[in-house]
């Protein structure tokens, strides 16, 4: 279990510890070890062997004849342990991520539901291959005596076997999956449409041998009746499994609580998955289709409110009527769903603290509900700025379900915010394993590589995200961020322009305009920067672009007025770190460097360490240099370079600082590293020209 430990599950036999060992003879054990090292050169791993002899201390060990085998086994065990240690390290480089297994909980039976087989190849009903598995998992999860493999876990296991959601799963694959997942029982099924009727067949198999244990079938008069009949099928399967389902669940099945329209349920389930991966436009379209088919579908209304509240930015007002409609249809909601809708509605009213308490109420109702932990951590981090508590909550969710893709995604983002890049990369790599066809997974991993300064891997991963979906706006934006970090400003602008075209919301379009303004400011093109700063305002959001342009023009009094008016502005405005950063820039330009330093440090504390295009981290070092406090400037830049050794602005500034100090060798080393990182940067950048000129000097 990540962050918790390991559960030892092998059989244990207690041996007699009091038996004495007779001293008889001297045994010398000498072991030859082949050392294997993996040396990383650039992006290539080279295997390097060194033959050597490890001579340990010659121990005088004694044994009775009965015990000689034990000592021989210990010697062999030592050799095997050393070999295994090398092998594990090698394998961990080939495949990261924890094994996907069902926990062995006393009194609970581990069960895996496989994808269903579309026996007639009916393309119109092919979604039921995964949909029926989801429905059975949802219904069977009402039993407290079953532990069920999630569909995401099944997808990852099939991917490991090279099967990737096959249309027909072979029995030998089923046994292999059961072995890997440690499932005692496997549920297989298939369906076929015969005219208007639909026949569903389900079989239960022993997870160790694949032997058939039981079979059930179901015939519905039409596809629409599947939802009303799936609970009956679940009750029959529960009987074969020797468990009972919750009484409330038996009385109120999937159809009565959700919808009795199969297509509406299909659109709803697809929308939930899209929303978790931040494809909000697609999710909203699917939910609107669900409502059109069933105007009484309470959770479809609620999920629209959820998307406007928790997925999109600055659109909470649009959520409120949908959440109110869901509460009007409260008789179509379970008790837990009512708690959820209340939590979403509270957050839509901008009551962050009350919303956090509402999510704690959901967790109290169902401590195993991973989504409640997930959303609570989001509110704690972004709304209440309680990042430590958010991380604790999310790590609890990862313990409950380490194979939930969206949990691994958010966990990686939190680790990233704390500057714990190695852990963030592990979490986001796990996300790609659990959702290998989801572009958002590779986007998250690529953005984390960017934060860690691993730009080559970031480019490769983000391009993979765009290969899966060329129109994925997040990956397009993050690709622009990488190009900016590499000094490829022209390429960055192209990506930000495309991001603005693909942007699904006004907030995204405003951010795209702001990013273009920042690039033009960096290039010194104030006219173009002003154009995009005005666009930023027209899209109804303010990221501070117009103030940065005004500061670049020396209009400090105008910036002061804007900053004073910002709290009462009807336009959603930038956060606290940008306010501190702008006041720092203003103080620097008006000859108040000490005041600037105070604001820049506050901006760092509020915004955290981030290497994106919009960042508060450059202020203190730049101010130290202006004040002539060279030692402090060097210490600040060295501190940042420990976190990201490839951050080019710090390398260039470090060269300047060492030049001021008169340490030419260290200055040249910093400039050389700077030019290496920016070897593909635009040729006309002033810093590039200055660094090259400096390197040409003695």
């Amino acid at each position: 279990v990540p962050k918790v430990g390991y559960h030892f599950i092998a059989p244990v036999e207690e041996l007699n510890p009091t038996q004495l060992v007779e001293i008889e003879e001297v045994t010398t054990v000498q072991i030859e070890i082949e050392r294997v090292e993996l040396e990383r050169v650039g992006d290539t791993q080279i295997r390097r062997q060194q033959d050597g002899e490890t001579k340990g201390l010659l121990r005088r060990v004694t044994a009775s004849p009965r015990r000689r085998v034990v000592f021989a086994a210990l010697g062999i065990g030592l050799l095997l342990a050393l070999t295994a240690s090398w092998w594990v390290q090698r394998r961990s480089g080939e495949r990261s991520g924890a094994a996907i297994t069902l926990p062995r909980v006393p009194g609970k039976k581990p069960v895996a539901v496989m994808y269903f087989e579309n026996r007639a190849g009916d393309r119109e009903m092919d979604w039921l291959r995964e949909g029926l598995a989801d429905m059975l998992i949802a219904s069977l999860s009402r039993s407290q005596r079953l532990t069920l493999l999630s569909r995401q876990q099944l997808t990852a296991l099939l991917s490991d076997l090279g099967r990737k959601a096959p249309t027909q799963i072979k029995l030998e694959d089923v046994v292999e999956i059961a072995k890997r997942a440690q499932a005692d029982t496997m549920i297989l099924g298939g369906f076929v449409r015969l005219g208007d009727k639909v026949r569903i067949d389900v079989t239960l198999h022993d997870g160790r041998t694949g032997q058939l244990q039981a079979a059930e079938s179901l015939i519905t008069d039409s596809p629409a009746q599947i939802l009303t009949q799936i609970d009956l099928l679940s009750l029959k399967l529960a009987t074969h499994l020797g468990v009972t389902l919750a009484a409330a669940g038996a009385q109120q099945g999937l159809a009565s609580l959700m919808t009795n329209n199969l297509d509406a349920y299909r659109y709803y389930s697809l929308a939930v998955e899209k929303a978790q991966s931040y494809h909000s436009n697609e999710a909203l379209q699917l939910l609107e289709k669900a409502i059109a088919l069933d105007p009484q579908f309470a959770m479809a209304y609620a999920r629209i409110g959820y998307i406007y509240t928790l997925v999109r930015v600055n659109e909470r007002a649009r959520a409120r009527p949908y959440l109110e409609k869901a509460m009007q249809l409260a008789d179509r909601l379970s008790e837990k769903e009512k708690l959820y809708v209340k939590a979403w509605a509270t957050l839509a009213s901008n009551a962050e603290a009350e919303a956090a308490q509402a999510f704690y109420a959901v967790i109290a109702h169902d401590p195993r509900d991973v989504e409640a932990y997930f959303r609570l951590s989001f509110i704690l981090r972004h709304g209440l700025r309680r990042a430590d508590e958010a991380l604790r909550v999310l790590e609890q969710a990862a313990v409950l379900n380490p194979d939930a893709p969206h949990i691994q995604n958010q966990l990686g983002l939190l680790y990233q915010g704390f500057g714990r890049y190695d852990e963030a990369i592990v979490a986001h790599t796990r996300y790609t394993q659990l959702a290998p066809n989801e572009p958002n997974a590779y986007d998250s991993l690529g953005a984390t590589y960017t934060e860690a300064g691993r730009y080559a891997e970031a480019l490769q991963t983000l391009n993979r995200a765009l290969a899966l979906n060329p129109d994925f706006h997040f990956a397009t934006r993050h690709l622009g961020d990488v190009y900016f970090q590499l000094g490829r400003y022209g390429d960055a602008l192209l990506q930000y322009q495309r991001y603005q075209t693909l942007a699904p919301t006004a907030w995204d379009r405003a951010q795209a305009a702001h990013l273009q303004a920042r690039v033009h400011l960096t290039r010194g093109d104030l006219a173009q920067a002003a154009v995009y700063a005005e666009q930023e305002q027209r899209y109804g959001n303010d990221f501070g672009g117009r103030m940065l342009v005004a500061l670049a023009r020396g209009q400090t009094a105008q910036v002061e007025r804007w900053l004073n008016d910002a709290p009462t502005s009807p336009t959603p405005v930038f956060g606290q770190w940008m306010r501190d950063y702008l006041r720092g820039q203003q103080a620097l330009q008006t000859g108040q460097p000490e005041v600037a330093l105070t604001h820049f440090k506050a901006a760092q504390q509020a915004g955290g360490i981030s290497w994106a295009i919009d960042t508060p981290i450059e202020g203190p070092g730049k101010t130290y240099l202006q004040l002539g406090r060279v030692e402090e400037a060097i210490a600040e830049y060295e501190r940042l370079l420990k976190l990201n050794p490839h951050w080019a602005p710090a390398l260039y500034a470090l060269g300047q600082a060492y030049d001021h100090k008169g340490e030419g060798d260290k200055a040249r080393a910093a400039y050389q590293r700077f030019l290496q990182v920016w070897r593909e940067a635009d040729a006309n950048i002033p810093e590039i020209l200055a660094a090259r000129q400096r390197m040409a000097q003695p």
Side-chain angles (χ1 to χ4, degrees), residues 13 15 20 137 163 168 229 242 270-271 281 317 400 460 521 569 573 588:
E13 179 184 358
L15 301 176
L20 298 177
I137 291 169
R163 300 296 188 266
Q168 184 177 6
Q229 297 294 315
L270 290 172
N281 276 1
L400 288 169
Q460 181 181 9
L521 276 171
S569 170
V573 294
L588 204 59

Side-chain angles (χ1 to χ4, degrees), residues 638-696:
E638 291 285 10
R639 179 182 75 88
L640 295 174
L641 287 169
K642 284 181 181 178
L643 295 170
N644 179 354
H646 301 118
W647 192 48
L651 291 169
Y652 180 78
L654 202 58
Q656 289 181 306
Y658 280 125
D659 265 338
H660 282 300
K661 197 178 176 184
E663 297 185 13
D665 289 342
K666 291 183 178 180
R668 287 173 62 83
Y671 286 129
Q672 188 171 12
R673 288 169 60 196
F674 165 71
L675 290 171
Q676 175 62 22
V677 173
W678 271 21
R679 59 187 177 276
E680 296 180 359
D682 297 348
N684 58 346
I685 296 176
E687 292 87 346
I688 292 281
L689 299 175
R692 286 176 179 165
Q693 184 179 4
R694 176 66 182 85
M695 292 299 293

Side-chain angles (χ1 to χ4, degrees), residues 79 96 185 241 287 302 361 374 392 409 455 476 487 501 530 577 618:
L79 180 59
S96 59
T185 304
L241 292 168
L287 290 168
F374 172 70
R392 288 195 299 271
N409 182 31
Y455 300 124
T476 304
T501 302
W577 81 260
E618 64 174 345

Side-chain angles (χ1 to χ4, degrees), residues 18 76 94 125 128 251 281 366 575:
T18 61
I76 294 170
E94 295 173 357
M125 298 186 66
L128 281 172
Q251 295 167 8
N281 276 1
D366 184 359

Side-chain angles (χ1 to χ4, degrees), residues 271-290:
V272 171
E273 195 169 301
K274 290 290 185 184
Q276 285 181 346
S277 298
Y278 298 95
H279 302 289
S280 60
N281 276 1
E282 295 171 71
L284 289 170
Q285 291 168 7
L286 290 165
L287 290 168
E288 292 289 0
K289 288 181 179 180

Side-chain angles (χ1 to χ4, degrees), residues 377-393:
S377 74
F378 198 86
I379 295 168
L380 291 170
R381 178 193 177 197
H382 295 284
L384 300 175
R385 304 296 177 188
R386 286 149 54 181
D388 290 335
E389 186 179 351
L391 183 58
R392 288 195 299 271
V393 167

